Amino acid sequence: MQQNIVIAQVLKPQGVRGEVKVKPLLDDIADIKRIPRVTIAGKEYKVLSARCDASFAYLGLAGVADRDAAELLRGKEVEAAREDVPAPAEGRAFIVDVIGCTVCTEEGEPLGKVTNVLPAKTDIFVMEREGREWMFPAADGVIVEIDVERGAVTVEKKRFGEVAVLQGSEA
């Protein structure tokens, strides 16, 4: 398992004292306040302050003293050590752990491998099958179970067939 988890993306500097505005990629935005250190572009930073609103978090980082230093972090991914990140809720998983899992039906029919998960209000799973890319939402009734220990994402076949989209097709 990957030891670092991507927890956010730096959007921009916030103010003049080096704080950065980030878009959290955690189920609960407030969880970011419990993380003591982060890594951005390969450099580790101690989190000096963290606050949240409904959609964003604001981090004060050791060594990022002004707006110019914060600007250098714009657009970068914010990672944290797996042991510092609160565990996902039951039935949920870290995106990094889902990538590479086999997508199969409840009957055990393999459909492909997860190659990416695009974070959205309803996450979009990207799956490769026979060299072609499919996308499907993690909507109610589509995903039955995610079992990262087994390396499997089980889908309901009928519902999957209704919502899965082949990339690059006109249909």
Side-chain angles (χ1 to χ4, degrees), residues 4-162:
N4 277 355
I5 306 288
V6 176
I7 61 163
Q9 181 171 15
V10 177
L11 298 175
K12 65 179 190 137
Q14 179 70 25
V16 295
R17 294 195 172 120
E19 193 174 52
V20 291
K21 180 179 183 178
V22 301
K23 174 155 184 49
L25 301 174
L26 301 167
D27 284 343
D28 183 352
I29 290 173
D31 281 345
I32 205 163
K33 293 193 275 186
R34 297 171 40 196
I35 298 172
R37 63 189 185 277
V38 296
T39 302
I40 303 173
K43 183 175 179 187
E44 186 173 293
Y45 298 90
K46 180 180 179 186
V47 177
L48 300 175
S49 64
R51 59 189 175 86
C52 303
D53 63 23
S55 302
F56 303 102
Y58 306 87
L59 302 177
L61 306 172
V64 182
D66 59 25
R67 186 173 185 87
D68 291 337
E71 182 64 45
L72 296 174
L73 303 178
R74 184 188 291 263
K76 307 272 193 277
E77 289 183 335
V78 180
E79 298 179 351
R82 184 180 288 271
E83 63 268 12
D84 290 339
V85 179
E90 189 171 330
R92 305 277 296 167
F94 292 122
I95 289 173
V96 69
D97 296 336
V98 175
I99 294 172
C101 285
T102 299
V103 178
C104 57
T105 65
E106 292 174 287
E107 295 77 29
E109 174 189 352
L111 300 174
K113 290 254 187 224
V114 177
T115 58
N116 200 1
V117 178
L118 307 173
K121 192 145 189 111
T122 300
D123 291 343
I124 306 297
F125 281 56
V126 181
M127 176 188 84
E128 183 179 312
R129 180 181 185 171
E130 299 172 354
R132 300 181 83 183
E133 193 171 82
W134 292 80
M135 298 176 91
F136 62 95
D140 287 340
V142 178
I143 296 178
V144 175
E145 178 185 38
I146 296 174
D147 185 342
V148 294
E149 298 298 319
R150 264 190 26 230
V153 174
T154 305
V155 296
E156 200 282 313
K157 187 175 183 174
K158 181 178 186 289
R159 184 79 174 114
F160 176 85
E162 294 169 350

